[in-house]
Short mmCIF file of all heavy atoms in Angstrom, two decimals:
data_model
loop_
_atom_site.label_atom_id
_atom_site.label_comp_id
_atom_site.label_asym_id
_atom_site.label_seq_id
_atom_site.Cartn_x
_atom_site.Cartn_y
_atom_site.Cartn_z
N ASN A 53 -15.01 4.33 -10.92
CA ASN A 53 -16.25 4.34 -11.68
C ASN A 53 -17.28 3.70 -10.76
O ASN A 53 -17.28 2.49 -10.60
CB ASN A 53 -16.05 3.52 -12.97
CG ASN A 53 -17.30 3.42 -13.79
OD1 ASN A 53 -18.37 3.84 -13.39
ND2 ASN A 53 -17.17 2.85 -14.96
N TYR A 54 -18.11 4.51 -10.15
CA TYR A 54 -19.02 4.01 -9.13
C TYR A 54 -20.28 3.38 -9.70
O TYR A 54 -21.04 2.76 -8.98
CB TYR A 54 -19.38 5.13 -8.16
CG TYR A 54 -18.18 5.65 -7.41
CD1 TYR A 54 -17.64 6.89 -7.70
CD2 TYR A 54 -17.55 4.86 -6.46
CE1 TYR A 54 -16.52 7.35 -7.04
CE2 TYR A 54 -16.43 5.33 -5.79
CZ TYR A 54 -15.93 6.57 -6.08
OH TYR A 54 -14.81 7.02 -5.43
N ASP A 55 -20.50 3.54 -10.99
CA ASP A 55 -21.68 2.93 -11.61
C ASP A 55 -21.29 1.56 -12.16
O ASP A 55 -20.64 0.79 -11.51
CB ASP A 55 -22.22 3.84 -12.72
CG ASP A 55 -22.78 5.14 -12.15
OD1 ASP A 55 -23.27 5.12 -11.01
OD2 ASP A 55 -22.70 6.17 -12.84
N SER A 56 -21.67 1.30 -13.38
CA SER A 56 -21.37 0.01 -14.00
C SER A 56 -20.24 0.17 -15.00
O SER A 56 -19.82 1.27 -15.32
CB SER A 56 -22.62 -0.51 -14.70
OG SER A 56 -23.00 0.42 -15.70
N LYS A 57 -19.75 -0.96 -15.51
CA LYS A 57 -18.70 -0.90 -16.54
C LYS A 57 -19.22 -0.11 -17.72
O LYS A 57 -20.38 -0.23 -18.10
CB LYS A 57 -18.34 -2.31 -16.99
CG LYS A 57 -17.11 -2.83 -16.34
CD LYS A 57 -16.62 -4.06 -17.03
CE LYS A 57 -15.28 -4.39 -16.41
NZ LYS A 57 -14.67 -5.54 -16.96
N GLY A 58 -18.35 0.69 -18.30
CA GLY A 58 -18.76 1.49 -19.44
C GLY A 58 -19.61 2.68 -19.05
O GLY A 58 -20.37 3.21 -19.84
N SER A 59 -19.48 3.14 -17.82
CA SER A 59 -20.25 4.27 -17.34
C SER A 59 -19.94 5.53 -18.13
O SER A 59 -18.90 5.65 -18.75
CB SER A 59 -19.93 4.49 -15.86
OG SER A 59 -20.57 5.66 -15.39
N SER A 60 -20.85 6.49 -18.06
CA SER A 60 -20.65 7.74 -18.78
C SER A 60 -19.97 8.81 -17.92
O SER A 60 -19.76 9.91 -18.39
CB SER A 60 -21.98 8.26 -19.31
OG SER A 60 -22.86 8.48 -18.23
N GLU A 61 -19.61 8.49 -16.67
CA GLU A 61 -18.91 9.44 -15.81
C GLU A 61 -17.88 8.70 -14.97
O GLU A 61 -18.21 7.74 -14.26
CB GLU A 61 -19.87 10.18 -14.89
CG GLU A 61 -19.19 11.19 -14.02
CD GLU A 61 -20.17 12.02 -13.19
OE1 GLU A 61 -21.34 12.10 -13.55
OE2 GLU A 61 -19.73 12.59 -12.18
N VAL A 62 -16.64 9.15 -15.06
CA VAL A 62 -15.53 8.51 -14.34
C VAL A 62 -14.66 9.61 -13.73
O VAL A 62 -14.55 10.69 -14.30
CB VAL A 62 -14.69 7.64 -15.31
CG1 VAL A 62 -13.50 7.03 -14.61
CG2 VAL A 62 -15.55 6.54 -15.91
N HIS A 63 -14.03 9.31 -12.60
CA HIS A 63 -13.20 10.29 -11.91
C HIS A 63 -11.77 9.79 -11.78
O HIS A 63 -11.53 8.67 -11.32
CB HIS A 63 -13.75 10.56 -10.50
CG HIS A 63 -15.16 11.03 -10.53
ND1 HIS A 63 -15.50 12.33 -10.81
CD2 HIS A 63 -16.33 10.36 -10.34
CE1 HIS A 63 -16.82 12.44 -10.78
NE2 HIS A 63 -17.34 11.27 -10.50
N LEU A 64 -10.80 10.63 -12.19
CA LEU A 64 -9.39 10.36 -11.96
C LEU A 64 -8.99 11.14 -10.72
O LEU A 64 -9.20 12.36 -10.65
CB LEU A 64 -8.54 10.82 -13.16
CG LEU A 64 -7.03 10.81 -12.94
CD1 LEU A 64 -6.52 9.39 -12.73
CD2 LEU A 64 -6.32 11.46 -14.11
N MET A 65 -8.46 10.42 -9.71
CA MET A 65 -8.11 11.04 -8.43
C MET A 65 -6.65 10.80 -8.09
O MET A 65 -6.05 9.85 -8.60
CB MET A 65 -8.98 10.44 -7.33
CG MET A 65 -10.45 10.73 -7.48
SD MET A 65 -11.42 9.93 -6.20
CE MET A 65 -11.89 8.45 -7.05
N ASP A 66 -6.14 11.64 -7.22
CA ASP A 66 -4.81 11.38 -6.68
C ASP A 66 -4.96 10.43 -5.50
O ASP A 66 -6.07 9.97 -5.19
CB ASP A 66 -4.10 12.68 -6.32
CG ASP A 66 -4.76 13.46 -5.19
OD1 ASP A 66 -5.71 12.95 -4.54
OD2 ASP A 66 -4.35 14.59 -4.94
N LEU A 67 -3.86 10.14 -4.84
CA LEU A 67 -3.88 9.20 -3.71
C LEU A 67 -4.80 9.65 -2.59
O LEU A 67 -5.47 8.84 -1.95
CB LEU A 67 -2.45 9.02 -3.18
CG LEU A 67 -2.30 8.17 -1.92
CD1 LEU A 67 -2.77 6.75 -2.19
CD2 LEU A 67 -0.87 8.18 -1.45
N ARG A 68 -4.88 10.96 -2.35
CA ARG A 68 -5.71 11.49 -1.26
C ARG A 68 -7.19 11.53 -1.59
O ARG A 68 -8.00 11.90 -0.76
CB ARG A 68 -5.23 12.90 -0.91
CG ARG A 68 -3.79 12.94 -0.43
CD ARG A 68 -3.36 14.36 -0.25
NE ARG A 68 -3.61 15.08 -1.49
CZ ARG A 68 -2.91 16.07 -1.96
NH1 ARG A 68 -1.89 16.51 -1.29
NH2 ARG A 68 -3.20 16.66 -3.09
N GLY A 69 -7.57 11.21 -2.83
CA GLY A 69 -8.98 11.23 -3.22
C GLY A 69 -9.42 12.53 -3.85
O GLY A 69 -10.60 12.73 -4.12
N GLN A 70 -8.49 13.45 -4.08
CA GLN A 70 -8.82 14.71 -4.75
C GLN A 70 -9.06 14.42 -6.23
O GLN A 70 -8.24 13.82 -6.90
CB GLN A 70 -7.68 15.71 -4.59
CG GLN A 70 -7.92 17.01 -5.34
CD GLN A 70 -6.71 17.92 -5.29
OE1 GLN A 70 -5.75 17.69 -4.56
NE2 GLN A 70 -6.76 18.98 -6.08
N VAL A 71 -10.21 14.86 -6.74
CA VAL A 71 -10.55 14.62 -8.14
C VAL A 71 -9.72 15.55 -9.02
O VAL A 71 -9.77 16.77 -8.88
CB VAL A 71 -12.06 14.85 -8.40
CG1 VAL A 71 -12.38 14.69 -9.87
CG2 VAL A 71 -12.89 13.89 -7.57
N LEU A 72 -8.92 14.96 -9.89
CA LEU A 72 -8.08 15.72 -10.82
C LEU A 72 -8.82 15.99 -12.12
O LEU A 72 -8.74 17.07 -12.68
CB LEU A 72 -6.79 14.97 -11.10
CG LEU A 72 -5.95 14.61 -9.88
CD1 LEU A 72 -4.75 13.78 -10.29
CD2 LEU A 72 -5.52 15.86 -9.14
N PHE A 73 -9.53 14.97 -12.62
CA PHE A 73 -10.32 15.10 -13.84
C PHE A 73 -11.63 14.36 -13.68
O PHE A 73 -11.67 13.27 -13.11
CB PHE A 73 -9.59 14.49 -15.05
CG PHE A 73 -8.44 15.30 -15.55
CD1 PHE A 73 -7.14 14.94 -15.26
CD2 PHE A 73 -8.65 16.42 -16.33
CE1 PHE A 73 -6.06 15.68 -15.72
CE2 PHE A 73 -7.57 17.17 -16.80
CZ PHE A 73 -6.28 16.80 -16.50
N THR A 74 -12.70 14.96 -14.18
CA THR A 74 -13.97 14.29 -14.34
C THR A 74 -14.14 14.04 -15.83
O THR A 74 -14.02 14.96 -16.63
CB THR A 74 -15.14 15.16 -13.81
OG1 THR A 74 -14.93 15.42 -12.43
CG2 THR A 74 -16.47 14.45 -13.99
N ILE A 75 -14.37 12.79 -16.19
CA ILE A 75 -14.46 12.40 -17.59
C ILE A 75 -15.90 12.01 -17.88
O ILE A 75 -16.46 11.13 -17.22
CB ILE A 75 -13.50 11.23 -17.87
CG1 ILE A 75 -12.08 11.65 -17.50
CG2 ILE A 75 -13.59 10.80 -19.33
CD1 ILE A 75 -11.09 10.51 -17.44
N LEU A 76 -16.50 12.71 -18.85
CA LEU A 76 -17.90 12.50 -19.20
C LEU A 76 -18.05 12.10 -20.66
O LEU A 76 -17.43 12.70 -21.54
CB LEU A 76 -18.71 13.78 -18.96
CG LEU A 76 -18.69 14.37 -17.55
CD1 LEU A 76 -19.37 15.73 -17.54
CD2 LEU A 76 -19.39 13.43 -16.59
N LYS A 77 -18.90 11.13 -20.91
CA LYS A 77 -19.20 10.74 -22.28
C LYS A 77 -20.31 11.64 -22.80
O LYS A 77 -21.32 11.84 -22.14
CB LYS A 77 -19.65 9.28 -22.34
CG LYS A 77 -19.92 8.80 -23.74
CD LYS A 77 -20.28 7.34 -23.77
CE LYS A 77 -20.46 6.88 -25.20
NZ LYS A 77 -20.82 5.48 -25.26
N GLN A 78 -20.10 12.18 -24.01
CA GLN A 78 -21.15 12.99 -24.62
C GLN A 78 -22.24 12.07 -25.15
O GLN A 78 -21.95 11.06 -25.78
CB GLN A 78 -20.60 13.83 -25.77
CG GLN A 78 -19.83 15.03 -25.33
CD GLN A 78 -19.47 15.93 -26.50
OE1 GLN A 78 -19.67 15.60 -27.67
NE2 GLN A 78 -18.94 17.08 -26.19
N LYS A 79 -23.45 12.44 -24.89
CA LYS A 79 -24.58 11.63 -25.35
C LYS A 79 -24.86 11.91 -26.82
O LYS A 79 -24.51 12.95 -27.35
CB LYS A 79 -25.80 11.95 -24.51
CG LYS A 79 -25.59 11.55 -23.07
CD LYS A 79 -26.81 11.82 -22.26
CE LYS A 79 -26.60 11.35 -20.93
NZ LYS A 79 -26.56 11.39 -19.81
#
Side-chain angles (χ1 to χ4, degrees):
N53 178 353
Y54 297 108
D55 294 330
S56 61
K57 261 193 172 180
S59 174
S60 60
E61 182 175 339
V62 177
H63 303 280
L64 170 65
M65 296 177 265
D66 65 8
L67 175 62
R68 299 173 306 212
Q70 176 186 350
V71 176
L72 304 176
F73 287 103
T74 300
I75 303 167
L76 302 172
K77 182 177 183 181
Q78 283 188 352
K79 296 182 176 127

